[in-house]
Amino acid sequence: MPLLDVRDLTIGFTSADHRVPVVSNLNFSIEESEIFGLVGESGCGKSITALSILGILPQNAYAQGTIIFKDTNLIELDPESMRKIRGNEISMIFQEPMTSLNPVLTVGYQIAEVLMTHRGMKKKAAMDRAVDLLGAVQMPSPEIRLKEYPHQLSGGMRQRVMIAMAVACSPSLVIADEPTTALDVTIQAQILELLHSLRQERNVSILLITHDLGIIAENTSRVAIMYAGRFMEMAVTEAIFSNTKHPYTKGLLESLPIEKGVPLNPIPGFVPRADELPSGCRFSDRCSYVIDRCRVMEPEFIEVSSGHFSRCIRTEEIAWKS
Amino acid sequence: MEVLKAISLRKYFKTRKKSRGSDGLVRAVDGIDFSLHEDSIFALVGESGCGKSTVARLVLKLLKPTSGSIQFKGHDTIEFDKRALKRFRKSVQIIFQDPFASLNPRRTVYNTIAEPLKIHNLATRSGMKDAVSEILGKVGLRPDILNRYPHEFSGGQRQRICIARALAVSPEVIVADEPLSALDVSIQGQIINLLTDLKNETHIAFLFISHDLKVVHYFSDTVGVMYLGKIVEYAKTEDLFEKPLHPYTVVLMESAPNVEPERYGKMHSAPLKGEVPSPLEIPLGCPFHPRCSKKFDPCDRIVPELQASQGRLVSCHLWNPY
Ligand SMILES: Nc1ncnc2c1ncn2[C@@H]1O[C@H](COP(=O)(O)OP(=O)(O)OP(=O)(O)O)[C@@H](O)[C@H]1O
Ligand SMILES: Nc1ncnc2c1ncn2[C@@H]1O[C@H](COP(=O)(O)OP(=O)(O)OP(=O)(O)O)[C@@H](O)[C@H]1O
Ligand code: SF4
Ligand SMILES: [Mg+2]
Ligand SMILES: [Mg+2]
């Protein structure tokens, strides 16, 4: 049984008199000790999906479907029980640690606070444990850094603090939303290495959200490609890159500069707004494979080969290797 | 033809943060030399804080150098009178990272692009509208957007407007400071194609600042790799990517995630340990030695000079026995 099983997840916002869905009918599962990637362009619904799993959607949002985590449907869970899971069994790492850390508390205290809240630890014991955790995330001189405030640390060190907080209660699932986007490449590589060691040594599963296809290729075992609130393709990572089945994924890959002198073939146009989606396939107005039938009805998410899903009526017809 | 040249450029900022081992000076740019040629693209790469944007501001004469100079077509820009300076400001244009922050929200597209044309008398009052429309066409925008405001556009469209504004005055140099990093993958591909067209169709010299090595490889002709305010390797793009010499260039390339098949799911360990030192306390000897896995006897004592080796310039004792 998977650790997390998401079925028909739809999330949207209520405005004045109507509801605008921004994420529709997501189906996916995350296995134990797996790094599952979620990739897509800005606004496609990655963060909203993460927030719904953690039960921290904004006030004006709604979520439908089921999110089964270890036999519990998180969507139906009461706020008090959800609070016990969050930061404890499921925790989160955000893109910009500066906005999620408290500027007036030492980083040591902020880590200790997680343990005091969820584990009922006394302050002294929690602070001792915080030093261990900072050591575990390879913070240089953890005893000294413990007493410092977020602004005294570099971006990479702040992200280490966030990770120490996220793993303080030995979670089984960590959701990392663009955890390295604000960091330099050399520091990014260090943070990704750290996430892998958590997976290996602590059996943590990770939902890794990013817009960087290179990070996906190197770090995940399976991946879902999201566009305008829909999964367009989902497969084991290697198949996504070497046996691409969806024109959107193909377009993303052809937008990357690979070989000097070879002109790029980027997806034309731009992502439509959630309330101005084209009829039929949501990618139809930018797709180079579009035919009339694409605009009639939205394609189903079909399993084209074992574990490989694609939402495109031409999946089988098109010679994907160009 | 050499259009612009930086000679021993230095910019030190004074801060109040004096401490042991620091004189309170931020050596943001610490003696760099490069030249921009007609029809060619010089890229500066390096991690956050290494001084790239400071170089851009020095080149644009938005900052006064602590020492060193900028030559424009063989003339020292320090000696420019008002008229020469106005001509210089027309000839050297900038494109920024954040296309939203660099557009005036209360100015229509028409006014944004007409303004530089008026300032430099480049179009008659009656011909203005046609001139503006023609420039918009060059960046792939239709003239029916003339009366719209920046907030009505996506990030990629705004970046096109910024590029149009830079092109309006027929510049000889364009300084592009991270022009892609705020954009989605597919939009990055579109803008890369647009810049490539400009490169092929005009004689503009580019100073292209980026931390994305893939893009630099694809787009530039020559590269300067910066570390703590200095250029540590300066080479033809092909040579650099074929065989990086400086240990910092090597780890920078290894750290960059990419989608090549041999790296699927093969998260490698981080190639570089440790953080970038503060530019307030630049290490003695080779500034890279505290993080360098190749360091040997002279590295922590003697500053390596930027010297010729294998058809390029490199500052490392490995390649230039002192
Ligand atoms: N509080 C809100 N009220 C209304 N709409 C919202 C709100 N928050 C997000 N949205 C909309 O929900 C959609 C999904 O947003 P989300 O933040 O999940 O995107 P994302 O994929 O994480 O993008 P990015 O890569 O930019 O982080 C967007 O269209 C966004 O405009
Ligand atoms: N006005 C200033 N006063 C003091 N220090 C400054 C000033 N401007 C820049 N610096 C410092 O100079 C150094 C170089 O900054 P710069 O913005 O040029 O870096 P960069 O390479 O462009 O970085 P990034 O990739 O983050 O844009 C940094 O340490 C920065 O903090
Ligand atoms: S000079 Fe020494 S420390 Fe500096 S990069 Fe070369 S080998 Fe490394
Ligand atoms: Mg997001
Ligand atoms: Mg900068």
Side-chain angles (χ1 to χ4, degrees):
Chain A
M1 208 186 68
L3 177 71
L4 182 84
D5 194 36
V6 175
R7 290 297 129 202
D8 281 320
L9 178 64
T10 294
I11 312 164
F13 289 93
T14 347
S15 68
D17 53 342
H18 62 296
R19 298 174 122 195
V20 182
V22 293
V23 163
S24 313
N25 303 89
L26 302 189
N27 285 288
F28 68 103
S29 56
I30 302 179
E31 305 294 330
E32 218 168 275
S33 186
E34 175 185 39
I35 302 189
F36 185 92
L38 190 53
V39 67
E41 292 178 281
S42 184
C44 70
K46 305 182 293 295
S47 297
I48 283 293
T49 303
L51 297 182
S52 75
I53 297 171
L54 288 156
I56 46 173
L57 283 173
Q59 280 292 322
N60 59 335
Y62 65 91
Q64 294 162 345
T66 57
I67 302 176
I68 310 287
F69 174 74
K70 295 186 179 171
D71 293 328
T72 310
N73 184 356
L74 299 181
I75 287 216
E76 286 170 353
L77 213 57
D78 60 280
E80 184 50 36
S81 313
M82 193 63 224
R83 224 184 328 265
K84 285 197 184 123
I85 291 183
R86 198 186 313 130
N88 190 18
E89 286 196 81
I90 306 179
S91 58
M92 177 124 183
I93 305 164
F94 295 95
Q95 171 173 344
E96 195 13 272
M98 205 53 191
T99 53
S100 25
L101 289 172
N102 187 331
V104 301
L105 297 175
T106 64
V107 295
Y109 184 78
Q110 296 187 58
I111 299 169
E113 204 177 25
V114 178
L115 293 160
M116 294 189 280
T117 310
H118 286 292
R119 291 289 146 97
M121 282 171 84
K122 291 267 168 4
K123 185 174 171 204
K124 172 80 177 53
M127 289 299 275
D128 287 345
R129 183 85 185 96
V131 180
D132 297 343
L133 284 163
L134 281 177
V137 297
Q138 285 144 35
M139 176 76 91
S141 7
E143 293 86 357
I144 298 170
R145 295 299 180 184
L146 188 77
K147 301 187 191 104
E148 293 189 336
Y149 294 89
H151 71 90
Q152 292 172 285
L153 306 180
S154 70
M157 289 185 201
R158 286 197 287 262
Q159 203 54 290
R160 287 181 200 277
V161 172
M162 284 289 295
I163 295 173
M165 287 168 71
V167 300
C169 298
S170 311
S172 28
L173 177 63
V174 170
I175 299 177
D177 190 355
E178 307 267 6
T180 60
T181 307
L183 305 175
D184 279 318
V185 283
T186 61
I187 309 299
Q188 165 169 288
Q190 294 172 6
I191 297 295
L192 290 169
E193 183 186 334
L194 181 58
L195 290 179
H196 276 273
S197 69
L198 295 178
R199 182 185 69 80
Q200 270 163 3
E201 287 156 25
R202 298 172 181 240
N203 252 352
V204 182
S205 302
I206 299 170
L207 174 60
L208 180 61
I209 298 176
T210 174
H211 62 271
D212 186 324
L213 291 159
I215 291 182
I216 290 286
E218 291 182 10
N219 295 283
T220 64
S221 54
R222 285 187 306 141
V223 54
I225 312 279
M226 210 170 171
Y227 183 78
R230 282 284 200 199
F231 279 1
M232 291 303 193
E233 188 169 0
M234 180 166 72
V236 296
T237 305
E238 191 176 342
I240 287 284
F241 291 96
S242 58
N243 191 16
T244 311
K245 294 284 190 196
H246 197 283
Y248 176 59
T249 314
K250 194 162 182 274
L252 282 180
L253 292 171
E254 289 178 0
S255 302
L256 298 176
I258 303 282
E259 210 181 320
K260 207 177 171 88
V262 179
L264 306 184
N265 187 18
I267 306 166
F270 45 93
V271 181
R273 289 168 35 159
D275 54 358
E276 289 176 354
L277 295 174
S279 62
C281 173
R282 295 185 180 189
F283 188 54
S284 57
D285 62 342
R286 302 177 75 192
C287 182
S288 50
Y289 294 91
V290 68
I291 51 175
D292 288 346
R293 201 148 53 86
C294 302
R295 300 204 171 87
V296 179
M297 212 173 67
E298 198 174 357
E300 298 284 323
F301 202 39
I302 304 281
E303 188 164 12
V304 288
S305 59
S306 173
H308 196 150
F309 295 80
S310 171
R311 189 186 296 284
C312 169
I313 55 169
R314 303 194 66 194
T315 285
E316 302 287 4
E317 297 169 49
I318 295 165
W320 295 101
K321 290 271 170 196
S322 52
Chain B
M1 191 188 77
E2 183 178 87
V3 189
L4 192 139
K5 187 173 186 166
I7 303 163
S8 302
L9 212 50
R10 283 196 167 72
K11 182 67 196 180
Y12 294 175
F13 295 105
K14 283 198 192 70
T15 67
R16 254 163 286 167
K17 273 200 222 147
K18 278 191 192 146
S19 67
R20 240 181 325 148
S22 158
D23 49 11
L25 285 181
V26 178
R27 290 166 167 76
V29 174
D30 203 8
I32 74 170
D33 294 88
F34 61 84
S35 52
L36 302 182
H37 294 265
E38 195 178 79
D39 277 325
S40 79
I41 297 174
F42 173 62
L44 273 180
V45 293
E47 292 179 284
S48 182
C50 71
K52 304 181 296 295
S53 297
T54 305
V55 171
R57 283 151 70 206
L58 290 167
V59 163
L60 291 155
K61 289 183 76 65
L62 300 172
L63 270 182
K64 202 168 162 281
T66 305
S67 66
S69 62
I70 306 282
Q71 283 189 357
F72 183 64
K73 296 185 168 171
H75 301 284
D76 191 336
T77 58
I78 277 277
E79 285 150 18
F80 279 1
D81 59 12
K82 236 175 148 183
R83 254 186 61 216
L85 197 60
K86 189 175 173 190
R87 215 176 315 130
F88 175 81
R89 295 233 180 273
K90 168 183 166 302
S91 301
V92 185
Q93 292 290 312
I94 173 119
I95 308 166
F96 291 102
Q97 168 174 351
D98 184 345
F100 202 53
S102 55
L103 289 171
N104 183 336
R106 281 189 292 274
R107 210 173 264 172
T108 60
V109 173
Y110 176 79
N111 286 330
T112 298
I113 296 178
E115 190 199 57
L117 294 176
K118 283 179 198 155
I119 291 177
H120 297 287
N121 286 322
L122 294 171
T124 59
R125 190 170 297 202
S126 60
M128 192 63 78
K129 200 166 164 200
D130 285 343
V132 171
S133 301
E134 190 193 323
I135 293 158
L136 285 177
K138 283 187 196 159
V139 299
L141 292 171
R142 283 194 307 263
D144 58 8
I145 61 162
L146 283 180
N147 295 317
R148 289 166 59 185
Y149 290 89
H151 74 263
E152 298 176 63
F153 296 98
S154 68
Q157 290 169 307
R158 284 180 210 138
Q159 197 56 291
R160 286 179 197 268
I161 296 168
C162 292
I163 296 172
R165 177 178 58 186
L167 288 179
V169 295
S170 309
E172 291 170 86
V173 176
I174 288 184
V175 177
D177 190 357
E178 304 269 9
L180 305 170
S181 38
L183 306 175
D184 271 323
V185 175
S186 69
I187 312 300
Q188 287 192 17
Q190 295 172 8
I191 301 292
I192 292 172
N193 275 356
L194 172 59
L195 292 174
T196 308
D197 289 346
L198 288 179
K199 168 185 171 175
N200 295 339
E201 288 158 18
T202 68
H203 299 296
I204 298 172
F206 281 87
L207 172 57
F208 185 77
I209 294 173
S210 175
H211 63 270
D212 187 334
L213 288 160
K214 288 274 156 210
V215 174
V216 165
H217 187 186
Y218 183 84
F219 191 56
S220 70
D221 302 304
T222 320
V223 185
V225 180
M226 280 185 81
Y227 191 75
L228 287 173
K230 289 197 164 82
I231 289 180
V232 296
E233 187 161 2
Y234 187 100
K236 286 211 189 73
T237 305
E238 271 77 12
D239 297 347
L240 190 82
F241 284 86
E242 178 74 35
K243 188 175 180 224
L245 293 188
H246 197 284
Y248 178 62
T249 316
V250 173
V251 290
L252 212 50
M253 287 183 185
E254 282 174 1
S255 301
N258 77 59
V259 298
E260 276 153 30
E262 62 272 18
R263 313 238 314 212
Y264 296 161
K266 304 239 175 54
M267 168 58 190
H268 42 104
S269 60
L272 189 54
K273 312 288 173 212
E275 307 255 343
V276 185
S278 156
L280 273 167
E281 290 169 60
I282 293 178
L284 296 175
C286 169
F288 186 58
H289 88 263
R291 301 172 85 195
C292 182
S293 63
K294 298 268 171 20
K295 66 168 173 260
F296 57 111
D297 167 50
C299 300
D300 62 354
R301 296 182 290 118
I302 298 167
V303 182
E305 299 291 326
L306 189 63
Q307 283 173 12
S309 179
Q310 304 194 20
R312 70 186 84 186
L313 299 173
V314 58
S315 65
C316 169
H317 295 307
L318 281 175
W319 303 101
N320 294 306
Y322 62 102

